[in-house]
Amino acid sequence: MKVQKFGGTSVGSAQRIKNVASLITREEGNIVVLSAMSGTTNSLVEISGYLYNKNADGALDTINRLHSKYRGVISELYSGEEYKAKAEEYVSGIFSYLSSFVKQLFTSVEEKVILAQGELISTHLMTYYLQEQGVNAVLLPALDFMKIDDHGEPDQNYIKEKLGAVLEENKGAYIYITQGFICRNVHDEIDNLQRGGSDYTASLIGAAVGASEIQIWTDIDGMHNNDPRIVDDTKAVRHLHFEEAAELGYFGAKILHPTCVLPAKYANIPVLLLNTMEPDAPGTVINNIPEPGTIKAVAAKDKITAIRIKSSRMLLAHGFLRKVFEIFESYQTSIDMICTSEVGVSMSIDNTTNLASIVHDLKKYGTVTVDLDMCIICVVGDMDWENVGFESRAMEAMKDIPVRMVSYGGSNYNISFLVKAEDKERALKALSKSLF
Ligand code: ASP
Ligand code: MG
């Protein structure tokens, strides 16, 4: 059994739903996880915003606009009256339900119910479409088996048990369709796995059923070994270790969020990144198999700020770093890179909302300097410290570029450089030239 996940753009129009339908019916017995059609979750967020503000007109306006978009999709998607009527009835039910919220007290509980409707609609439309085509498609309601615990973490034992039971009840279907993103919480209320959470759903389901692979389908051509907008002749990366994918995930590379793939990683299930526009291309495989001696990719993260605090009090003083880190923690600001010397520490952050307060508080402990408009350049691959030569090749490539910080040894898979934003292009090109 495989798990196949399609994001919002992949099911973003009637035509695209049809394309996905032909893709997923090439093989029997898989579970297909769908996101809401693109734009829908954002519209639902917008509707919730109006409802919080008791702006009934704003809410109804957006609800009606979204409803008419779905009427268009339905009229294009189905060829016969029977399924057109079924889909229309289902979707109208949802939209009148949404409209009923204008008369209610509106809290985050109601908001989550609203946010869940996008995935409910897309999966119903797909299931009806497959059934109209004569496919034995069964819709598995995610709200019957996806659950988060009181920390908001997925309850993997519950998911495994319930999903197993639901599958057993529906044995023998040609294909199973289910919703990404949505779940129930400990109070049994409708909840979700956070925005973009459908990948997480796919990974959790894959782990729960012991899938042979988890396929994440998008409309982009997998991972490239460098930024194709900046560097010519970039190549698709065919294979990544889970750790390498996690390193790249932080760098805005268009791949999975690291926590989303953890269930797959622990269950040792390969994750494939595939392209709906080129369904037979090999894509990128992410698994637990290391590939010694290779550098996989270079990625950049923009809008970084570097902060240095220097103090002779740091020398041999225990507890200094704790005090520094506590300041960042108190402003809910996470640190990306860190470098320390005997008398100073440099850190990089990407969220500058509380920069002024952080700098103010840090001044209690030493002299603070800030460098704005920086960029992290990250090289990912086999960077095991016992290997020789890889760090020096990356360093050598950077020889003409002023480097503010270097971070190496934090994991076995990465070396990062902090440079000025204006040197980003030069750095990416130089690294590509020397590493690939
Ligand atoms: N529909 C949800 C969102 O837009 C979940 C997802 O697409 O993964 O965030
Ligand atoms: Mg997504």
Side-chain angles (χ1 to χ4, degrees):
M1 183 172 248
K2 294 175 186 167
V3 176
Q4 304 176 299
K5 180 259 171 178
F6 293 83
T9 342
S10 302
V11 291
S13 67
Q15 189 50 50
R16 289 190 158 220
I17 293 175
K18 291 182 188 179
N19 289 351
V20 169
S22 68
L23 265 173
I24 58 183
T25 46
R26 300 202 293 188
E27 252 177 40
E28 187 175 345
N30 295 332
I31 302 182
V32 175
V33 175
L34 300 180
S35 292
M37 291 179 76
S38 53
T40 297
T41 311
N42 286 343
S43 298
L44 296 170
V45 169
E46 202 182 311
I47 292 164
S48 304
Y50 285 124
L51 292 171
Y52 272 122
N53 290 306
K54 300 191 175 36
N55 179 347
D57 289 344
L60 291 173
D61 227 39
T62 315
I63 290 170
N64 291 334
R65 248 185 293 128
L66 194 60
H67 191 177
S68 76
K69 175 184 147 178
Y70 277 101
R71 282 198 200 95
V73 172
I74 290 171
S75 75
E76 201 185 325
L77 186 57
Y78 303 97
S79 44
E81 288 312 314
E82 185 193 347
Y83 279 93
K84 209 167 269 188
K86 264 193 183 184
E88 247 157 31
E89 192 188 326
Y90 179 77
V91 167
S92 298
I94 298 243
F95 282 95
S96 47
Y97 180 48
L98 285 177
S99 306
S100 73
F101 282 92
V102 299
K103 295 192 205 77
Q104 281 188 34
L105 177 72
F106 199 76
T107 70
S108 64
V109 175
E110 285 75 29
E111 178 179 15
K112 285 169 179 165
V113 175
I114 290 196
L115 294 192
Q117 305 306 313
E119 272 71 11
L120 289 169
I121 298 177
S122 64
T123 49
H124 276 83
L125 294 184
M126 178 64 86
T127 308
Y128 290 151
Y129 177 72
L130 291 167
Q131 290 170 349
E132 184 177 55
Q133 305 298 305
V135 178
N136 178 10
V138 167
L139 182 59
L140 305 176
L143 299 177
D144 289 354
F145 58 85
M146 286 302 289
K147 187 143 192 141
I148 48 176
D149 62 19
D150 42 7
H151 305 288
E153 297 294 331
D155 184 339
Q156 297 204 45
N157 292 327
Y158 181 97
I159 295 169
K160 186 171 179 167
E161 189 188 312
K162 289 288 178 182
L163 177 56
V166 175
L167 279 169
E168 184 60 32
E169 277 166 35
N170 292 286
K171 244 193 345 226
Y174 185 85
I175 194 165
Y176 300 94
I177 309 289
T178 193
Q179 297 88 18
F181 177 59
I182 66 175
C183 63
R184 287 191 189 273
N185 59 28
V186 269
H187 310 296
D188 221 31
E189 297 154 348
I190 293 181
D191 212 313
N192 61 61
L193 300 172
Q194 313 286 334
R195 292 302 305 272
S198 297
D199 292 340
Y200 204 8
T201 303
S203 175
L204 289 162
I205 290 181
V209 302
S212 59
E213 64 186 47
I214 297 163
Q215 304 176 346
I216 306 288
W217 290 82
T218 63
D219 56 350
I220 54 163
D221 185 19
M223 263 291 308
H224 275 238
N225 62 1
N226 206 326
D227 189 336
R229 291 164 304 184
I230 295 178
V231 179
D232 297 330
D233 302 325
T234 61
K235 289 192 186 63
V237 179
R238 292 277 158 252
H239 170 249
L240 286 170
H241 190 276
F242 275 114
E243 302 282 344
E244 292 167 338
E247 296 285 2
L248 288 168
Y250 291 112
F251 287 86
K254 284 241 174 192
I255 56 166
L256 306 160
H257 191 280
T259 52
C260 289
V261 289
L262 280 182
K265 174 182 150 82
Y266 291 138
N268 205 10
I269 298 170
V271 173
L272 272 74
L273 306 178
L274 298 165
N275 183 356
T276 48
M277 305 294 177
E278 251 186 283
D280 296 312
T284 302
V285 184
I286 307 170
N287 59 24
N288 279 319
I289 304 166
E291 221 177 306
T294 52
I295 293 187
K296 300 293 179 57
V298 177
K301 190 171 179 183
D302 300 317
K303 297 201 175 69
I304 302 292
T305 298
I307 304 170
R308 168 183 290 150
I309 169 161
K310 240 182 70 191
S311 166
S312 41
R313 278 194 287 163
M314 184 178 164
L315 189 67
L316 300 176
H318 56 79
F320 182 84
L321 286 176
R322 179 176 56 77
K323 288 183 203 145
V324 167
F325 292 157
E326 268 172 4
I327 292 172
F328 287 86
E329 192 191 343
S330 69
Y331 292 104
Q332 278 133 44
T333 301
S334 64
I335 298 170
D336 287 325
M337 282 174 76
I338 314 176
C339 292
T340 64
S341 79
E342 287 293 357
V343 292
V345 50
S346 275
M347 289 145 297
S348 79
I349 58 172
D350 62 359
N351 170 4
T352 51
T353 318
N354 294 307
L355 179 63
S357 313
I358 291 170
V359 169
H360 173 268
D361 290 9
L362 285 174
K363 283 183 175 160
K364 267 188 268 182
Y365 302 115
T367 313
V368 181
T369 46
V370 174
D371 293 296
L372 304 169
D373 297 323
M374 307 296 286
C375 165
I376 299 178
I377 306 282
C378 146
V379 180
V380 167
D382 178 17
M383 293 286 174
D384 192 311
W385 69 274
E386 300 216 55
N387 290 344
V388 290
F390 290 107
E391 321 81 273
S392 66
R393 265 169 70 199
M395 289 283 198
E396 172 68 18
M398 299 289 284
K399 69 178 188 299
D400 297 321
I401 296 160
V403 174
R404 167 74 175 76
M405 287 165 74
V406 181
S407 176
Y408 170 73
S411 83
N412 278 335
Y413 299 93
N414 137 296
I415 178 166
S416 295
F417 302 95
L418 188 72
V419 301
K420 285 186 211 142
E422 65 197 57
D423 290 327
K424 165 179 156 178
E425 189 175 329
R426 227 161 32 111
L428 289 179
K429 285 183 171 155
L431 284 163
S432 241
K433 202 165 154 212
S434 88
L435 298 177
F436 305 124

